[in-house]
Amino acid sequence: MSQNDQEAALSRCPGCQEPLEPGDLFCGACGYDLSAVPEPPRDHPTIAMGTAVAAPAEPGPVAAASASGDFELAAPGAAAGGAAPDPRAVAEPTPTPPAGTKVCVACRAGRVDLDGYCENCGHAQPRERDHMEQELGSVAAVTDRGLRHHRNEDSFAISTTALPDGTPAVVAIVCDGVSSASRPDEASAAATTAANESLLESLPRGTHPQQAMHEAIVAAAESVNRLAQEPGGAGERDPHRQQNAPACTLVGAVMANGLLIVGWVGDSRVYWVPEDRSSPPARLTEDDSWAAQMVAAGLMNEAEAYADERAHAITGWLGADSYELEPHTASFKPDRPGTAVICTDGLWNYAESAAEMSAALPPDAHERPLHGAQVLVGHALDGGGHDNVTVALLPFAVPAQGAGSARSDG
């Protein structure tokens, strides 16, 4: 096979139809081994440290184009130089599916199977999670599949409740499924649900918001751990997929009683952008990642670490095969109005520094958080959209003159 033929054959992942870049070693969505020549990928899928690469795939049947333009499998052992199909032959039209059957959005003729793929052309159909938006009072969130991945492995939850004295509390949770693990979309969904429910239960009881955030992360981890005890779907039994336990990262923020509480495990982040853009923005979280470890140890500067191909390998995550769980929490008392940006690396890959995030956030985001979240997702898509993108905006309103700021870590 020529180099051009090989690149064409690997334009999509054989396991999940994920679009691929030339030179990818394995699928960034499902971990399928591609047995390709090493080349640094252009995107940064969320992978865990120590992930093993699956064994090379055995040679399979050859895909050949039929006269109708569809692809069919050639019989094993068929000669590569066999006779071409008679161009005068007329392909039989694909029968129209019965009324009420879900029809493919691509070919408009094939029936969609239970796994969400067209039985005629094989095109993956849009899923509900491909793009979701929600606005709840002063908090809003948007998630998008991006331009490269075949499914959205991110998830979010936003909610409001009240403390025992009746003052409001606002919650935003964002999770990013670990792409090299099994069922990452289920992991992120389970974690967001568990963390959100835990906070909605503990905050009204009077639990301090920082302790409530710690407990919410533990609850999220337990929910993801339980997924490892459940059997996966048929697609996860492919012998060439990596069978790591379901896993995800988590980052969250709570606004309550004049405090901004953040908590995280992994490399999803929280940024603080003041309403007055003449005030400096800040990143409020520290990544659990290889690059962050190198910088913290003084072995590399930040530019060198993040330029390394191992930079985005995470060292902390939620999942049954993670290292010892170490939830990070921090408490802030902002002295001026601003907006907390809670996001996955699908966004911050395109606005990594606090200054870049501040520049990408619309000036009226504190008044129009849903619009602001939409703009930030669009910023990531315009930049290439190589990963799922999720962002929640939590505006924080305080009097113009406050009592300063404070921080404590847990």
Side-chain angles (χ1 to χ4, degrees):
M1 179 184 288
S2 69
Q3 181 176 359
N4 290 339
D5 291 339
Q6 185 178 21
E7 290 181 357
L10 292 175
S11 63
R12 288 184 177 274
C13 171
C16 66
Q17 297 303 305
E18 162 85 2
L20 301 170
E21 294 289 339
D24 277 352
L25 290 172
F26 58 90
C27 176
C30 69
Y32 200 106
D33 175 35
L34 302 173
S35 301
V37 179
E39 251 181 55
R42 293 192 335 189
D43 67 334
H44 307 289
T46 302
I47 61 173
M49 286 285 286
T51 298
V53 177
E58 294 295 330
V62 180
S66 67
S68 65
D70 299 329
F71 283 89
E72 49 192 33
L73 295 179
D86 188 344
R88 295 167 296 178
V90 178
E92 296 183 3
T94 302
T96 302
T101 302
K102 188 174 182 181
V103 178
C104 174
V105 299
C107 69
R108 308 302 300 173
R111 182 174 62 183
V112 178
D113 64 21
L114 296 177
D115 293 325
Y117 291 86
C118 175
E119 295 179 346
N120 175 46
C121 69
H123 190 92
Q125 305 301 295
R127 297 169 171 85
E128 181 183 1
R129 283 177 63 174
D130 282 358
H131 184 93
M132 299 179 68
E133 302 182 356
Q134 186 179 0
E135 187 172 32
L136 187 62
S138 62
V139 62
V142 176
T143 184
D144 191 272
R145 178 171 59 93
L147 304 179
R148 177 175 177 181
H149 283 248
H150 79 295
R151 65 181 173 189
N152 192 353
E153 296 167 359
D154 288 357
S155 184
F156 72 79
I158 57 176
S159 58
T160 60
T161 185
L163 303 181
D165 62 2
T167 57
V170 185
V171 173
I173 302 292
V174 167
C175 292
D176 182 357
V178 174
S179 297
S180 57
S182 303
R183 299 149 63 198
D185 53 333
E186 295 181 35
S188 64
T192 52
T193 299
N196 185 60
E197 290 179 350
S198 176
L199 286 164
L200 292 182
E201 180 181 351
S202 59
L203 290 171
R205 289 202 316 258
T207 305
H208 188 279
Q210 191 166 354
Q211 178 62 28
M213 177 62 77
H214 179 96
E215 294 174 359
I217 295 174
V218 172
E222 291 173 349
S223 71
V224 178
N225 291 348
R226 286 193 292 271
L227 291 178
Q229 303 168 8
E230 302 174 2
E236 299 295 338
R237 291 194 292 269
D238 188 319
H240 304 299
R241 288 183 190 269
Q242 300 184 42
Q243 296 298 310
N244 300 331
C248 69
T249 69
L250 181 147
V251 66
V254 173
M255 179 180 68
N257 204 21
L259 296 176
L260 176 62
I261 309 298
V262 299
W264 74 98
V265 173
D267 64 348
S268 293
R269 295 178 174 179
V270 178
Y271 292 83
W272 170 254
V273 180
E275 182 180 340
D276 178 4
R277 298 302 174 87
S278 65
S279 299
R283 173 153 64 94
L284 306 183
T285 57
E286 295 291 340
D287 299 343
D288 289 320
S289 70
W290 181 91
Q293 282 193 345
M294 294 298 103
V295 174
L299 299 177
M300 290 183 175
N301 63 40
E302 192 164 314
E304 293 171 336
Y306 279 96
D308 193 283
E309 62 182 7
R310 296 165 289 183
H312 287 260
I314 57 174
T315 57
W317 62 90
L318 307 183
D321 59 357
S322 67
Y323 305 120
E324 183 178 357
L325 178 65
E326 295 184 10
H328 310 292
T329 62
S331 176
F332 301 87
K333 188 176 179 63
D335 61 359
R336 65 201 68 199
T339 301
V341 180
I342 303 103
C343 65
T344 62
D345 62 345
L347 171 59
W348 66 253
N349 278 333
Y350 302 98
E352 187 165 345
S353 70
E356 290 171 328
M357 187 64 72
S358 177
L361 184 69
D364 62 350
H366 60 286
E367 298 173 351
R368 304 170 62 199
L370 179 58
H371 174 259
Q374 293 167 339
V375 169
L376 288 179
V377 169
H379 177 80
L381 297 181
D382 290 344
H386 289 159
D387 200 354
N388 307 143
V389 188
T390 303
V391 58
L393 296 186
L394 180 56
F396 198 102
V398 297
Q401 294 183 355
S405 62
R407 169 177 177 164
S408 60
D409 294 307

